[in-house]
Amino acid sequence: AAYRHRCCMNSAVSVCWLPLSRAFVAPAFRRSAAASPRSTTLWSSLDSQLYVRVPDIDKVAAESSVYVRGRLHAFRSKGNSCFLVLRQSGGSTVQACLFKDTEDPERSKELLKFLKSIPEESIIDIQGTVKPARVSSCTQKNVEIHILSAHLVSSCTQQLPFSVRDAARSPAEVMESQETERPIPVIGQDLRLDHRWLDLRTPANQAIMRVKAHMASAFRQQLIQAGFVEIFSPKLVPGQSEGGAEVFRTDYFGQQVCLAQSPQLYKQMAISSDLDRVFEIGPVFRAEKSRSRRHLCEFTGLDLEMSILHTYQEALLLVYNVLQRMFEDAEASLGDLLATVREQYPSEPLLLTDEPVILTYKDALQLLRSAGESMSDFDDLSDEQEQKLGRIVHDEYGTDLFAVDQYPRSLRPFYTMPSDTDADYSNSYDLFLRGQEIASGAQRINNPAQLKQAMDSGGLPTDSPSIQAYIKSFEHGCPPHAGAGLGLDRIATLFLGLDNVRKASMFPRTPTRASP
């Protein structure tokens, strides 16, 4: 038959046989009673031939026969031979080559013809022999694979909008090439995002996604070790999430609801539920029309809330230490990933201090005024002033991570606890990285009468079901508490020194983009 489909049940590997015209010397896969179990090196054991991950090929003995699956990253032929590069997830690459077989020249000619017909970015299986070699253009620099057979697993049937190889080049390399005889194509941000699945195949973007995942995991593990409980709050909220107009509204069986701007109200109700210390990692929605490089309409929030015994600064110090350990751990354990990102997007590692650097809002204003800024006592910081403050703190305190404490009450949400010493200020704080805000937090009002008064003073409605339930949770008794909300996408962006938060978002949502 032209098509044959068989499943190899060994190690749960499924193999699809294509028409004979699209496969060459495909191996006969059968169930093997002596199959090796899955491991970090092996995908499966098939007839004693090993599927090997590209990063592990140099661990295989020379002259061993292996199977490798990957994308056809590059191909060049010369006479009766060819050289191709296989790429796997994460950007690992290995060179595979085919030379004329003097004993069976017709067979090698047919195999070469088959390989030439495979489009770039197709997924192929290669069976071959591991040989020592010097290869400067691949991540596997000391070995290559001499091809014995090949199998087309999935063909790239559409013309590529851009080459993954070109998309992986640094901006400096692209700009320098424009004055040469062979300029590298300039791939714009919109073209990349329109085909984000293709853009994400570059080594740097693969590394960015992995660094971001590592940070989310580090946040979760640190808080679990500190006695926090992970919660999963609703994202459909009656009325307005926390007041204000920057919400996405939708119909909910005839009732108007909005997408949650944060899990803030539910975090606090969790404290009233005696969960004591809670955190959440989940989507956050903001209907802001900003098209800046630092804003998204949907991002991943890292939120926490905790009861406090003496002072709200218990929460501030905890958040600061979690972030510092997260950054130190990433720098120490993700060296290869960070090097991959910095090869395309150069940046310097963060500068951190052993002890937290915490300024009051008044201190921050004084530093800015000394640097030429004209500001009143209760002015909010603009983006430019935050970045300027970041440069000042970097130079004077030797850190890229710092906090600003005791913000004016007029600049904070209604549920923020006023300062005990000055009613014009509040028990609130922001944390900054490389001069940009990455976290905002405070002690919350836990007295229902005081909370209602704060809402009345701000002209905020108290008749929505979510707000009524929120206030009632305090009427039943709630301990003093504080917390913070952080943005994972922005944290990853600034940690890696990227120039746009869209680079750290898998499929970014902005006022002009809701797909793919």
Side-chain angles (χ1 to χ4, degrees):
Y3 291 82
R4 290 190 297 162
H5 296 277
R6 294 197 326 194
C7 284
C8 171
M9 302 305 294
N10 172 48
S11 298
V13 173
S14 176
V15 178
C16 175
W17 291 73
L18 296 173
L20 295 181
S21 61
R22 302 302 294 157
F24 194 88
V25 196
F29 296 141
R30 330 188 278 268
R31 183 180 303 184
S32 171
S36 301
R38 288 176 181 265
S39 70
T40 57
T41 301
L42 309 181
W43 287 343
S44 62
S45 176
L46 306 172
D47 280 357
S48 300
Q49 302 294 329
L50 305 182
Y51 262 85
V52 182
R53 298 174 64 249
V54 168
D56 300 320
I57 290 177
D58 57 352
K59 302 181 181 70
V60 176
E63 304 302 326
S64 296
S65 180
V66 296
Y67 288 102
V68 179
R69 175 170 294 178
R71 289 192 182 274
L72 181 58
H73 183 67
F75 180 91
R76 62 184 176 90
S77 61
K78 183 178 180 181
N80 293 321
S81 62
C82 70
F83 300 84
L84 57 89
V85 175
L86 284 182
R87 188 187 74 245
Q88 283 183 352
S89 174
S92 300
T93 53
V94 65
Q95 178 172 280
C97 41
L98 174 69
F99 301 103
K100 182 179 179 180
D101 185 347
T102 56
E103 296 182 359
D104 193 351
E106 195 62 32
R107 179 181 178 278
S108 60
K109 180 179 178 181
E110 287 297 317
L111 180 52
L112 176 61
K113 180 181 178 181
F114 171 68
L115 292 172
K116 284 182 177 180
S117 71
I118 300 175
E120 187 176 306
E121 289 301 301
S122 296
I123 300 172
I124 59 176
D125 281 351
I126 292 294
Q127 180 197 9
T129 304
V130 177
K131 299 280 189 178
R134 288 184 173 273
V135 184
S136 60
S137 59
C138 294
T139 60
Q140 283 291 1
K141 300 185 179 301
N142 298 314
V143 293
E144 64 184 12
I145 300 172
H146 287 202
I147 301 171
L148 299 174
S149 66
H151 174 62
L152 179 60
V153 176
S154 177
S155 179
C156 177
T157 59
Q158 296 288 328
Q159 181 177 353
L160 296 173
F162 53 82
S163 164
V164 173
R165 284 173 290 155
D166 290 337
R169 301 182 191 275
S170 70
E173 183 183 1
V174 174
M175 291 303 296
E176 290 173 2
S177 74
Q178 301 309 305
E179 304 301 324
T180 68
E181 295 181 355
R182 300 183 64 181
I184 299 170
V186 178
I187 306 172
Q189 176 179 272
D190 284 340
L191 181 61
R192 287 177 180 267
L193 295 181
D194 287 343
H195 304 86
R196 183 62 165 159
W197 59 89
L198 193 62
D199 187 41
L200 286 171
R201 293 179 188 177
T202 66
N205 285 335
Q206 291 272 308
I208 290 170
M209 294 299 109
R210 284 166 167 77
V211 171
K212 183 178 170 183
H214 181 91
M215 288 183 162
S217 178
F219 180 82
R220 173 180 282 112
Q221 293 305 316
Q222 286 193 67
L223 292 182
I224 289 174
Q225 291 171 9
F228 281 71
V229 177
E230 185 168 9
I231 61 173
F232 308 91
S233 65
K235 303 309 170 196
L236 290 173
V237 182
Q240 294 182 354
S241 179
E242 299 168 29
E246 296 174 344
V247 295
F248 292 106
R249 294 178 174 83
T250 186
D251 177 77
Y252 186 74
F253 302 104
Q255 175 187 0
Q256 186 180 84
V257 298
C258 66
L259 298 180
Q261 292 171 295
S262 80
Q264 183 60 47
L265 307 188
Y266 295 99
K267 288 191 303 178
Q268 292 184 251
M269 286 191 278
I271 301 301
S272 182
S273 304
D274 287 344
L275 287 176
D276 192 52
R277 290 184 161 200
V278 299
F279 75 96
E280 179 166 355
I281 301 176
V284 173
F285 303 92
R286 302 285 170 85
E288 299 177 359
K289 294 184 179 180
S290 172
R291 302 185 184 185
S292 76
R293 296 183 175 190
R294 56 183 291 188
H295 289 99
L296 293 170
C297 293
E298 179 185 352
F299 60 89
T300 301
L302 307 176
D303 280 87
L304 65 88
E305 204 76 21
M306 57 184 280
S307 62
I308 55 177
L309 298 175
H310 304 291
T311 171
Y312 70 96
Q313 291 185 338
E314 296 166 24
L316 168 56
L317 290 173
L318 182 141
V319 174
Y320 196 111
N321 290 329
V322 165
L323 286 170
Q324 177 141 336
R325 286 194 293 267
M326 181 192 300
F327 299 144
E328 290 173 344
D329 174 67
E331 198 67 52
S333 62
L334 304 180
D336 290 344
L337 293 177
L338 298 181
T340 298
V341 176
R342 289 165 180 164
E343 183 177 353
Q344 183 168 2
Y345 303 114
S347 69
E348 293 296 323
L350 290 179
L351 191 60
L352 300 170
T353 53
D354 292 335
E355 297 297 324
V357 174
I358 302 175
L359 311 173
T360 66
Y361 195 78
K362 294 178 181 179
D363 293 336
L365 291 187
Q366 186 57 44
L367 288 174
L368 288 169
R369 287 167 179 157
S370 298
E373 294 291 326
S374 178
M375 305 177 67
S376 73
D377 289 347
F378 304 112
D379 282 351
D380 200 359
L381 302 182
S382 67
D383 293 348
E384 293 75 16
Q385 288 167 338
E386 287 181 355
Q387 291 172 24
K388 190 171 187 177
L389 179 62
R391 292 192 293 271
I392 295 171
V393 172
H394 177 95
D395 294 339
E396 294 194 14
Y397 294 87
T399 183
D400 290 313
L401 174 66
F402 64 96
V404 176
D405 188 16
Q406 288 282 308
Y407 271 75
R409 188 179 177 187
S410 59
L411 301 179
R412 309 305 277 194
F414 69 88
Y415 46 74
T416 304
M417 181 68 77
S419 171
D420 294 334
T421 58
D422 189 336
D424 288 331
Y425 291 86
S426 62
N427 295 345
S428 63
Y429 43 85
D430 283 352
L431 284 88
F432 295 84
L433 188 66
R434 299 192 199 266
Q436 292 190 44
E437 176 202 325
I438 57 170
S440 185
Q443 180 180 357
R444 327 299 187 180
I445 297 173
N446 64 311
N447 181 296
Q450 185 181 4
L451 185 61
K452 290 177 184 177
Q453 183 180 10
M455 296 186 71
D456 290 340
S457 299
L460 299 173
T462 59
D463 56 352
S464 75
S466 59
I467 293 297
Q468 289 178 349
Y470 171 68
I471 295 174
K472 186 174 289 187
S473 71
F474 300 123
E475 293 174 344
H476 293 162
C478 183
H481 56 280
L486 307 85
L488 176 61
D489 306 82
R490 188 180 293 181
I491 289 172
T493 298
L494 295 170
F495 173 75
L496 295 170
L498 305 176
D499 63 355
N500 196 313
V501 70
R502 292 161 181 79
K503 287 186 171 73
S505 176
M506 188 173 182
F507 292 98
R509 293 293 178 259
T510 69
T512 59
R513 180 172 293 279
S515 66

